[in-house]
């Protein structure tokens, strides 16, 4: 079910209406169960196609309860190995070949985020944080919540259970804000991402045209343009999806966690990932980075080694997080780039702190030009690394070979400077607008003006949709 389709709009309208008619915790759980089944069913045409997903859920449910009852590290280790191994087989990772593939097509959408929730439950069960069994209904509604089925956000089970136990409580202002959030999401997906997807598809087609042989400077400029278009498209598409599900979640009594916090304000790579896909970053921090750093700290006890242990832990964490995005070799490259970005960032922080001290290093980073350049370099690295998400391995290798090391460095430097200047200009414009904002706040908060603003956004969505015929599909469900 496409999030920008009329079918989905009718679907969420029905879910919101039924939830309002049955606002008790039991009624809401029943509505959510039905909604989840309908949503998953929209992706399949036969029971056979959903059978592997159902089997995976049953297996994981049994493993979680086994860990909860035993509180054994050995049972946890076995459960993690079985769950992750089954996931790898079902996702058809390329290194497996055809040995373990099932002989029929089946649903794999949602598997990655189900795995995150399952591993979270399993580890929390071992740590004693699940004081009672998770019921089959609670387990299914949590792992297969239609709002977060495709691409998160990754909510903690305890938060989901607390939301489910509360009766629905809405007022006029809350409903308006939720509806406005949904419209804002559709603007991002149906307008901004549609425009930049159009630009990206045209530029990438020219870039990858085998009959074209542009000069290296032109090739580099085309690669940079395609990378920037794709990055904006991905952000608008993904962040817009989050706006939609958070708004709908409010209307049905679910506090869906935020997943983005102005990522392009980030001044370094680590800061970027604390703002982009935040629930994914938090999950890896809790269940991989922190335990790995703890293990390293017990093995290497020298105080001088402390900062460098963080470098190792960051590299491993971001490598795994990058590889998780796909099942082919190009995603290993993406993981290596993510790991390199995080570890180099940490090494730079260690070096600068040792060289200048924390106070002076912080002061240097607060200079206007330094802020602009740092943000430009962060965006440039991330955008170019994201090329692994839209290029296959032969295409990536061919592009790198044609550009060469000097060409790649020129692409990174040029985009860093251009983005830095653009950010500084943008900040100046925003500051100017904010200086006149107090004078129009009272007008903009009026009911008529607020409703007119929403109506205008809907009109823009319809206008752009008529031009492109349809909005782009949600891109992150492929990961």
């Amino acid at each position: 079910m496409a999030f920008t389709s009329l079918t989905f709009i009718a679907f969420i309208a029905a879910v919101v209406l039924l939830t309002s008619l049955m606002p008790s915790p039991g009624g809401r759980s029943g509505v959510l169960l039905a909604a989840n089944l309908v949503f998953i069913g929209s992706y399949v045409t036969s029971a056979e196609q959903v059978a592997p997903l159902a089997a995976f859920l049953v297996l994981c449910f049994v493993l979680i309860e086994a860990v909860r009852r035993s509180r054994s590290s050995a049972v946890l280790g076995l459960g993690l190995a079985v769950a992750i191994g089954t996931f790898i087989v079902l996702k058809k990772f390329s290194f497996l070949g055809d040995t373990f593939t099932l002989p029929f097509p089946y649903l794999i959408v949602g598997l990655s985020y189900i795995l995150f929730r399952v591993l979270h439950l399993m580890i929390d069960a071992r740590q004693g944080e699940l004081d009672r069994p998770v019921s089959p209904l609670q387990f299914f509604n949590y792992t297969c919540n239609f709002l977060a089925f495709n691409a998160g956000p990754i909510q903690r089970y305890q938060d989901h259970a607390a939301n489910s136990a509360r009766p629905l409580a809405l007022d006029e202002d809350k409903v308006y804000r939720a509806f406005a959030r949904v419209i804002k999401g559709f603007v991002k997906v149906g307008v901004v991402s549609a425009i930049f997807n159009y630009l990206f598809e045209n530029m990438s087609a020219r870039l990858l045209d085998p009959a074209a042989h542009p000069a290296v400077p032109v090739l580099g400029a085309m690669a940079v343009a395609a990378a920037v278009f794709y990055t904006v498209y991905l952000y608008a598409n993904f962040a817009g999806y989050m706006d939609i599900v958070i708004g709908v979640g409010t209307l049905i009594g679910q506090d869906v966690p935020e997943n983005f916090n102005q990522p392009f304000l980030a001044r370094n790579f680590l800061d970027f990932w604390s703002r982009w896909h935040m629930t994914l970053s938090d999950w890896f921090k809790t269940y991989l980075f922190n335990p790995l750093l703890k293990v390293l700290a017990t093995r290497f006890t020298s105080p001088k080694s402390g900062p460098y242990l963080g470098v190792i832990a960051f590299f491993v964490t971001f490598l795994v997080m990058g590889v998780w995005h796909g099942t082919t070799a190009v995603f290993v490259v993406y993981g290596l780039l993510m790991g390199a970005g995080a570890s180099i960032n940490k090494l730079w922080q260690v070096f600068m702190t040792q060289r200048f001290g924390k106070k002076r290093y912080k002061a240097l980073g607060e200079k206007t030009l330094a802020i602009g350049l740092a943000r430009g370099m962060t965006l440039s690295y991330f955008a170019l690394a994201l090329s692994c998400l839209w290029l296959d391995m032969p295409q990536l290798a061919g592009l790198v070979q044609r550009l060469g090391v000097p060409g790649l460095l020129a692409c990174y430097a040029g985009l860093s400077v251009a983005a830095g200047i653009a950010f500084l200009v943008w900040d100046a414009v925003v500051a100017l607008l904010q200086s006149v904002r107090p004078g129009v706040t009272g007008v903009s908060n009026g009911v008529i003006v607020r409703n007119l603003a929403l109506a205008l956004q809907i009109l823009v969505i319809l206008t752009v949709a008529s031009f492109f015929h349809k909005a782009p599909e949600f891109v992150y469900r492929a990961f």
Side-chain angles (χ1 to χ4, degrees), residues 120-459:
H120 147 61
L121 282 170
M122 215 176 288
I123 296 170
D124 281 16
R126 166 62 183 84
Q127 296 174 345
E129 296 187 28
L130 297 180
D131 55 355
R132 64 185 65 183
V134 179
S135 72
L137 175 61
Q138 289 174 319
F139 177 75
F140 180 75
N141 277 349
Y142 170 64
T143 56
C144 297
N145 187 339
F146 78 93
L147 291 173
F149 185 75
N150 280 340
I154 307 168
Q155 186 177 35
R156 286 178 53 81
Y157 170 74
Q158 291 84 346
D159 296 333
H160 172 82
N163 287 337
S164 301
R166 293 196 302 261
L168 182 66
L170 296 174
D171 54 39
E172 182 179 344
D173 184 64
K174 200 170 185 179
V175 170
Y176 171 81
R177 291 182 182 278
F179 183 66
R181 185 75 183 263
V182 172
I183 297 300
K184 177 182 176 183
F186 276 112
V187 169
K188 288 180 181 177
V189 175
V191 178
V192 181
S193 81
I195 291 172
F196 279 91
N197 181 51
Y198 175 82
L199 295 172
F200 162 71
E201 288 184 344
N202 280 271
M203 184 58 68
S204 61
R206 294 172 58 192
L207 177 68
L208 301 175
D209 183 0
H213 301 284
V216 171
V218 176
L219 181 69
M222 292 168 62
V224 166
V228 171
F229 293 154
Y230 182 82
T231 301
V232 179
Y233 155 62
L234 179 65
Y235 170 71
N237 190 279
F238 197 6
Y241 160 80
M242 289 299 157
D243 286 335
I244 293 169
V245 300
I246 289 171
V248 174
T250 299
L251 294 173
I252 62 175
Q254 294 191 42
D255 296 329
V256 180
E258 296 287 347
N259 218 15
F260 290 90
N261 180 25
Q262 299 179 298
F264 300 125
L265 290 179
R267 302 180 189 180
N268 59 62
F269 195 74
L270 295 176
D271 182 27
F272 182 89
W273 273 102
S274 70
R275 297 167 175 269
W276 175 285
H277 209 342
M278 296 186 296
T279 58
L280 179 69
S281 302
D282 288 344
W283 192 97
F284 274 99
K285 179 182 178 180
T286 302
Y287 295 112
L288 180 55
F289 177 83
N290 287 342
L292 177 58
L293 187 61
K294 185 177 179 179
V295 170
L296 291 172
T298 59
R299 296 290 300 274
F300 304 94
T301 57
S302 171
K304 292 183 178 180
S305 66
Y308 301 99
L309 299 181
V311 173
I312 297 172
F314 274 123
F315 180 83
V316 173
T317 301
F318 278 85
L319 170 64
V320 174
M321 190 162 66
V323 171
W324 162 82
H325 279 77
T327 61
T328 57
V330 73
F331 290 95
V332 176
V333 177
Y334 180 63
L336 290 170
L337 290 172
M338 293 295 102
S343 55
I344 291 172
N345 187 171
K346 184 62 179 178
L347 280 171
W348 175 257
Q349 291 176 342
V350 171
F351 169 77
M352 293 296 286
T353 300
Q354 292 176 345
R355 178 70 175 81
F356 297 104
K358 289 184 178 180
K359 187 175 181 179
R360 189 178 176 195
Y361 172 43
K362 183 177 180 180
L364 289 172
E366 293 300 322
K367 295 183 181 296
T368 301
L369 289 179
I371 292 173
L373 182 59
R375 289 170 61 189
M377 292 175 68
T378 301
L379 172 64
S380 179
Y381 187 88
F382 181 69
L384 293 176
L386 276 185
S387 299
C388 295
L389 273 58
W390 53 272
L391 293 170
D392 59 29
M393 197 63 184
Q395 290 171 337
L396 179 63
L399 184 60
V400 169
Q401 183 178 20
R402 292 167 65 189
L403 287 172
V405 174
L408 290 172
L409 292 176
C411 288
Y412 175 67
L415 179 53
S416 297
V417 173
I421 294 172
F423 283 137
L424 292 176
V425 172
W426 175 263
D427 290 346
V429 172
V430 170
L432 178 63
L433 293 176
Q434 288 178 339
S435 67
V436 300
R437 185 176 180 180
V440 298
T441 299
V443 176
S444 63
N445 285 337
V447 175
I448 295 177
V449 175
R450 291 198 312 177
N451 291 337
L452 284 174
L454 287 183
L456 179 61
Q457 291 179 69
I458 295 173
L459 180 61

Side-chain angles (χ1 to χ4, degrees), residues 12 16 37 63 66 83-84 151 155 194 392 419 444:
I12 60 174
V16 170
L37 290 172
L63 291 172
I84 295 172
Q155 186 177 35
D392 59 29
S444 63

